[in-house]
Amino acid sequence: MVNFDLSDTQQGVRTAVQSFASTHLRNARSIYETAGSQPHAEWSSRFRSTRPIYRAAVEAGLIKAQIPQPLGGNGGPLLDAALVVEEMYSVETSASLTILGTGLGLTPLFMAGSPELQEKFLKPFLSGEGEPLASLVFSEPAGSANYAEEGGEGFGTVAVEDGEDYVISGEKIWATNSGGWDDRGADLQTLCCRIPSPGLSIREQVAIIVVTRADIASNSTEAFRVLSHPQTVGHTAVNGPHIRYTNLRVPRSNLLAPPGKGADVIDLTFTASAMLVGAMGVGIMRQVFDTTLAWAKEEKRGSHEIMMKKQSVADLLIKIKIRCEATRALVWKAACAFDKAPGSPVAAELCYEAKIFGSESAVDSVMDGINLVGVSAYSRTYPLGDLLQDAIVLPIFDGGNVGVRRRQIEKIFAMHGYDAWEATFGRAA
Amino acid sequence: MVNFDLSDTQQGVRTAVQSFASTHLRNARSIYETAGSQPHAEWSSRFRSTRPIYRAAVEAGLIKAQIPQPLGGNGGPLLDAALVVEEMYSVETSASLTILGTGLGLTPLFMAGSPELQEKFLKPFLSGEGEPLASLVFSEPAGSANYAEEGGEGFGTVAVEDGEDYVISGEKIWATNSGGWDDRGADLQTLCCRIPSPGLSIREQVAIIVVTRADIASNSTEAFRVLSHPQTVGHTAVNGPHIRYTNLRVPRSNLLAPPGKGADVIDLTFTASAMLVGAMGVGIMRQVFDTTLAWAKEEKRGSHEIMMKKQSVADLLIKIKIRCEATRALVWKAACAFDKAPGSPVAAELCYEAKIFGSESAVDSVMDGINLVGVSAYSRTYPLGDLLQDAIVLPIFDGGNVGVRRRQIEKIFAMHGYDAWEATFGRAA
Amino acid sequence: MVNFDLSDTQQGVRTAVQSFASTHLRNARSIYETAGSQPHAEWSSRFRSTRPIYRAAVEAGLIKAQIPQPLGGNGGPLLDAALVVEEMYSVETSASLTILGTGLGLTPLFMAGSPELQEKFLKPFLSGEGEPLASLVFSEPAGSANYAEEGGEGFGTVAVEDGEDYVISGEKIWATNSGGWDDRGADLQTLCCRIPSPGLSIREQVAIIVVTRADIASNSTEAFRVLSHPQTVGHTAVNGPHIRYTNLRVPRSNLLAPPGKGADVIDLTFTASAMLVGAMGVGIMRQVFDTTLAWAKEEKRGSHEIMMKKQSVADLLIKIKIRCEATRALVWKAACAFDKAPGSPVAAELCYEAKIFGSESAVDSVMDGINLVGVSAYSRTYPLGDLLQDAIVLPIFDGGNVGVRRRQIEKIFAMHGYDAWEATFGRAA
Amino acid sequence: MVNFDLSDTQQGVRTAVQSFASTHLRNARSIYETAGSQPHAEWSSRFRSTRPIYRAAVEAGLIKAQIPQPLGGNGGPLLDAALVVEEMYSVETSASLTILGTGLGLTPLFMAGSPELQEKFLKPFLSGEGEPLASLVFSEPAGSANYAEEGGEGFGTVAVEDGEDYVISGEKIWATNSGGWDDRGADLQTLCCRIPSPGLSIREQVAIIVVTRADIASNSTEAFRVLSHPQTVGHTAVNGPHIRYTNLRVPRSNLLAPPGKGADVIDLTFTASAMLVGAMGVGIMRQVFDTTLAWAKEEKRGSHEIMMKKQSVADLLIKIKIRCEATRALVWKAACAFDKAPGSPVAAELCYEAKIFGSESAVDSVMDGINLVGVSAYSRTYPLGDLLQDAIVLPIFDGGNVGVRRRQIEKIFAMHGYDAWEATFGRAA
Ligand SMILES: Cc1cc2nc3c(=O)[nH]c(=O)nc-3n(C[C@H](O)[C@H](O)[C@H](O)COP(=O)(O)OP(=O)(O)OC[C@H]3O[C@@H](n4cnc5c(N)ncnc54)[C@H](O)[C@@H]3O)c2cc1C
Ligand SMILES: Cc1cc2nc3c(=O)[nH]c(=O)nc-3n(C[C@H](O)[C@H](O)[C@H](O)COP(=O)(O)OP(=O)(O)OC[C@H]3O[C@@H](n4cnc5c(N)ncnc54)[C@H](O)[C@@H]3O)c2cc1C
Ligand SMILES: Cc1cc2nc3c(=O)[nH]c(=O)nc-3n(C[C@H](O)[C@H](O)[C@H](O)COP(=O)(O)OP(=O)(O)OC[C@H]3O[C@@H](n4cnc5c(N)ncnc54)[C@H](O)[C@@H]3O)c2cc1C
Ligand SMILES: Cc1cc2nc3c(=O)[nH]c(=O)nc-3n(C[C@H](O)[C@H](O)[C@H](O)COP(=O)(O)OP(=O)(O)OC[C@H]3O[C@@H](n4cnc5c(N)ncnc54)[C@H](O)[C@@H]3O)c2cc1C
Ligand SMILES: [Mg+2]
Ligand SMILES: [Mg+2]
């Protein structure tokens, strides 16, 4: 029965996140943008300054909430995650992404891990203590859109069996949390790489291997190096360093998804995350709308009437609101479709669409908000400038819309027997 | 609990409409576009040629389905109506609008009629026989966007009490079905007019009066005249004549919504209908997508590969699909919100947003479809040309987006105590 | 010296066309849309009914104006043509396109014809008498975007040497004027085809051969057949039939552009024409702006003030005007660049850009105009409905923007040594 | 005669600016973004660090080039200014705006100054020495879009006659260069204010008064105060402080434009500047195109082919290029129209259109560029992030498009006798 009412549990989830957000996220920017009265001297200090927020998130159960209940966590259906993400992003971005990055990093474990691996590696994340970081380590400096293209180069990060170990070499970049709090690695990395195997296609060679801080510590320092922390346009307190692995050894038992299965797990991981990026867009648009509506009801800018009465202003507010409502409805639908049939292409399609639509709508909406407020929005005391810099990542990360997300949908459309309306009405007779 | 699954009843509704549509709507255009091998000699014959389709609709229960169950009909929640409208518009437009126009014409009766009036006037529409037409007669030649604006002119159609009667004079235009099958009036008109009353504002003077064919028949021929049938760009078999009332007398007991209440009933009627226009947009986009996807998977246009493989083509398909999915999700949400709190501004806002977004998305999508197919789409044997002409009415009828729909949202935003996210999360604490 | 002032000659050209347009084009639609009080019984009669207009155009020198002065015509720089086209399309479309179609049909002769061929074949078009039609016969039913793609199929229309003749077989469609006034062929066709030659690439096989009515008459009736007249969404009085050639014999001396040269001549022809499509867009936008501005200054739609005072209306007018001004400026620049360096890629790029921008802007502007006027624009007595149907061809004919025009620009960008600003500032040092 | 060729003088102007730009602007950002290896400790140091660049600009004649020849400068037609601005903004923004801000500050003097005032106040700017700054001081904290609206509040900055002096009080903000190098004022401010006069409308009360550093120095320190330096999203080395005047006395002979004339001078000043903002947009789009084209021709992102070959990438490049070409053509046309008839509404309309179109196109193009490059563009080492932050000011400064620029065009459209195509073809007969 079609229904848009949150369950009591879901209302509870929202309330809990709102409470966390108002205590820990609302003022987060002031923490990571300044150390005392000055900007942080080093870029990486920004990330580190959010460690107390992260600890509070752990304590508030926000990490456990990202782990499925059967595995010991509190995670519910994917829609709950959408609610959480919207609430966070309606308040703050960087510290939120750090928290969510751990969930992303653990996802391959949920999807492909054996019970033993799950038990072993999830433990620190279920403890409710400390500041354990996980990271999905996928992206590479030379590009990742075509990591599974036959005829392309495939991952440059390569693992080779040697006795009881895999020996890993290559470079990664951008993976949220991957450097860890101290540049010696996240507590857990799910490392996407290639295990070269004659006869297998580029796609079939893809594997996922778990790398822990302990694994790194048991190698020489050279084996894992943070080469640099790319300064980013927005999301300025997130950790996504340029990393080099040089003959890093990890036990073969760390293999999470073997060749032949790795790429599917990656794709599924990025399917759920796509929907969540849509939810980030909703959160950002909510902020934009709330901010600009309040402005328009307050400000006269020298005129005899408030700006809300000017049709050109109202038309922009309406655009923003419509995009926000439409995105949220689509995100929810995608979440429900994913929960019903996680591996199905038609559910995946909805998730990618939620990502594309939500991310591009968010950017357009921040821009509309800026044009509406006018020159005052150019002051950094006004929130829209920062928000623009945060928002523009939505279309280009988590698989850029141009190179990754549209191509994935394209492939689904091209499938034999594709039924465009199956996710909505079931398979046509 | 948020859910996007249709109930069995709803699946049944869809199946029934699909069956009606494939029998009666799929070939409708060939009926109203040609009489034998030639075009119809008169414009109004096009409408008349759809009478058998309408009769079949009555027999199939499609009129009863638009009347609420408590009043003897089969109508369920508004979402069911959205499903019906989508199915119809995914196949055909003109004959469908005629059927839906009757539902629109009856809506004020559902919303404001006394039990006596409802019983009396609904009877022919509940019978399951004949081809009874109803019509909401609202629009006027000089414009209707500002019918309730203080300082404006208000309706030019005016009713004056005279003994036991109202005496009605003025001109109307565009009202679907208003002329009836024979230019002597729809079986039932819900006529929106002004009862001039000193001391009342323009808005407060608005009233709705029922006018039946019997009422018209008991007047002189001059009292009700179809002046012309405007030839329209699309929806070419719909009846929406320019009409003149000249001292038409109807009994005072026909008063449906008195001054002070009329405008509210009109606005509520146009709230439900707005959501349905969104659903029309979904239907049209579905047609566009299905058509163009099939084309792209089939055609090579002289290239070595099918058009689906060209990213520029795929990008257009993706745009169309995303708009369709996002609109449907929003329409469903608006329908649910309306059902929960029909008179509430926040539900109304969603309905207007569904209308704006769905209508403009439909036009954009047909245009994208045309550009994708290229020059072949310029042939009238290809469906997209007709579809464009049908689609462009969505943004301008049922209250144009520029003059009516955005202005309504603007007013809601401006309300004191407006809570932007109430429709989604309940009122903020 | 940068300058936007028309020369006296150019002002004269404009005045002449305006005078022709107001006498012959302004009421053209009433001629081709009705025969007496009824629509034309046959589609092809619409085209035929414009014959007197065409004759008047010949007499007014509008055909000669499309032939370069060195060849005996009155044609000036390409910018003059842009002025002519804008004036025509600001008044009427179908009869105008017929006139311009002759210019297009002759263009390969200007560009590739030997003096003998030029003298021989241009004669009837220089006479200032009769109603001689020329036609560029390029497009084919299976698509033309990829006619020169290696690995694709190339033209299906094929010419084979046989003694002193070429023997031509294949199907064409859409070529303006190709059927002639009586379905026995335009006075002159420049037929784009393939002369299959082992060892030559698909592109190198392309040739252009002149086919005259006399040629057709000297064959059997079967050799040239009009199979059908596709009914089009707009431009409803243009002749662009589906044609079949069956072993049509023409003398080898009719060869205009031999294999190895044909494709270049076609591309150059479509370069000049691209710029003119931009000018058509300007003409259409001019109509839209003039019409809707007048409407907005006149109409109150029940409000206390004219619509021009509503910001939402003004914003649409501004959009339309900006697109029109920007397109015209770009079209002029493209025309000047073409005149300076006709064969250069950077001039070609500007012409294609003028086509894409002007055509898409025209469609957007008609749609904005419709939304601005609201429901009244849905009446066919209001000009915008017809204009939309005419305008939507601009992006999809003369090489669709998606399949042809953007691909051409893509190739220019990809050229080694491409200098993006050369057309503006000369080649960078 | 329509022509797009630069004169030799104009080519010379371009070459000169290019040479200045490559010496002084190309590395400017590294100067104002870091002091040694660290960011500048204070915001205002960024501006100050550009002083040597400004001095070089003075020496290179870039200030003199902004002063008309009849007044002793080297300024040519407005088109030359457009060329200069494009070249500068194709390399750098902040230091460029500082240089151009002086030209803007002097413009009222060119337009309204008596020969005596001109001679007296222009002297330091003609000397070719030092770093003299001028500033147009117009904007106020409470908004400036409606400074001349009857019924609105008008300028809060007010001048009152007192003996031989004007006594000035009020607050200003954003005026480029207004604080001067040391917060004690630009060498010359053209201060827009209100001289309250009973019986005059808000608009008629507007006046412009010259305020020099000497004037400020002869008052108490309190009379002129820089309250703060708003940190801006982009253009981060520009000086546009929040300023307070408290009973600042300046001689009455400093009156540049008296009540009744001030608003016209302001509007004319902002007409020329509008066109120049269009040219800034061109410069920015040039940068975006050059950067992203090079990227697309170089990068494979793991695919088997360069990104330029992907249609989705090419389509974005084409969009950017078309906007850039169309804007430049429109800017040039506006400049020529302004030169021909500076005070005419139709020339003004073109200037405003160039501003709106160019500014919004620039923002869209940077965004397209970011989406094209994908995640790498989120690194601050890649230029597009900074460019976005610079570009978003174009639509909101120099009179925001929503509140100022569209409203100005709206008023021109509404004028009695408005002739839409007069600027192009002369007044219609
Ligand atoms: C804040 C932030 C957090 C991130 N977190 C993580 C993380 O946790 N883990 C992780 O692994 N990565 C992370 N990333 C990286 C992110 O996931 C990227 O989206 C991903 O690396 C792919 O980048 P891309 O889509 O831009 O592809 P690229 O391969 O870099 O492609 C770049 C561009 O090339 C073009 N292109 C490429 N291929 C094609 C094609 N086939 N067809 C058409 N166009 C094409 C497109 O225009 C595309 O935009 C993060 C990045 C940021 C900024
Ligand atoms: C196929 C079809 C079926 C229809 N069915 C019916 C029906 O059953 N019953 C019925 O009564 N009508 C019907 N109509 C008419 C329809 O409901 C119209 O939308 C309605 O009449 C209002 O028209 P409008 O919104 O264009 O307003 P108008 O008043 O005509 O306004 C025209 C334009 O003016 C501008 N405008 C007006 N006011 C403002 C403002 N305050 N601010 C800004 N801009 C403004 C807008 O640009 C607007 O588009 C039908 C029409 C069609 C074509
Ligand atoms: C009124 C009118 C007048 C005309 N006059 C003439 C005339 O005088 N002479 C004449 O010869 N023709 C004429 N035409 C036809 C016209 O020139 C067409 O544009 C031309 O035939 C090519 O059609 P197309 O661009 O739609 O290409 P098609 O080959 O039909 O391609 C169709 C679609 O496929 C896709 N596509 C194809 N190839 C690619 C690709 N490589 N990459 C990406 N997408 C691709 C695009 O989406 C494209 O829109 C006329 C047509 C009309 C309607
Ligand atoms: C880098 C930079 C340099 C600058 N240089 C200068 C300078 O040298 N000198 C100077 O004086 N100023 C300068 N400014 C300020 C600039 O000129 C502003 O554009 C100007 O102050 C007006 O701001 P605004 O258009 O945003 O109007 P505001 O009055 O602030 O209006 C804000 C918003 O309200 C809405 N609005 C207002 N009125 C209306 C209306 N009537 N109808 C509809 N909507 C309305 C619009 O949405 C508008 O965007 C500079 C600003 C920056 C950032
Ligand atoms: Mg990408
Ligand atoms: Mg503004």
Side-chain angles (χ1 to χ4, degrees), chain B residues 295 301 307 310 312-313 371-376 378, chain C residues 97 104 136-139 143-146 173-176 235 238 270 393 396-400 402-404 407, chain D residues 311:
Chain B
W295 183 92
R301 310 311 287 164
M307 288 300 114
K310 307 289 186 189
S312 300
V313 169
N371 287 323
L372 184 166
V373 166
V375 73
S376 318
Y378 212 50
Chain C
L97 188 65
L104 184 68
L136 176 73
V137 185
F138 163 79
S139 303
S144 320
N146 309 291
I173 190 169
W174 295 122
T176 301
H235 280 87
V238 167
F270 277 125
V393 89
I396 56 175
F397 84 160
D398 189 59
V402 179
V404 179
R407 307 297 61 93
Chain D
Q311 290 190 342

Side-chain angles (χ1 to χ4, degrees), chain A residues 76-91:
Chain A
L78 202 54
L79 183 60
D80 293 21
L83 296 172
V84 169
V85 169
E86 175 183 334
E87 288 310 316
M88 286 178 155
Y89 264 72
S90 73
V91 175

Side-chain angles (χ1 to χ4, degrees), chain D residues 12-33:
Chain D
V13 167
R14 276 190 80 235
T15 312
V17 187
Q18 283 178 330
S19 143
F20 173 81
S22 70
T23 314
H24 298 288
L25 298 179
R26 200 162 299 281
N27 64 338
R29 199 176 282 274
S30 70
I31 292 170
Y32 53 76
E33 299 224 317

Side-chain angles (χ1 to χ4, degrees), chain A residues 145 395-397 399-405, chain D residues 370-375:
Chain A
I396 56 174
F397 84 161
N401 294 350
V402 178
V404 179
R405 295 313 189 168
Chain D
I370 289 171
N371 287 323
L372 184 165
V373 166
V375 73

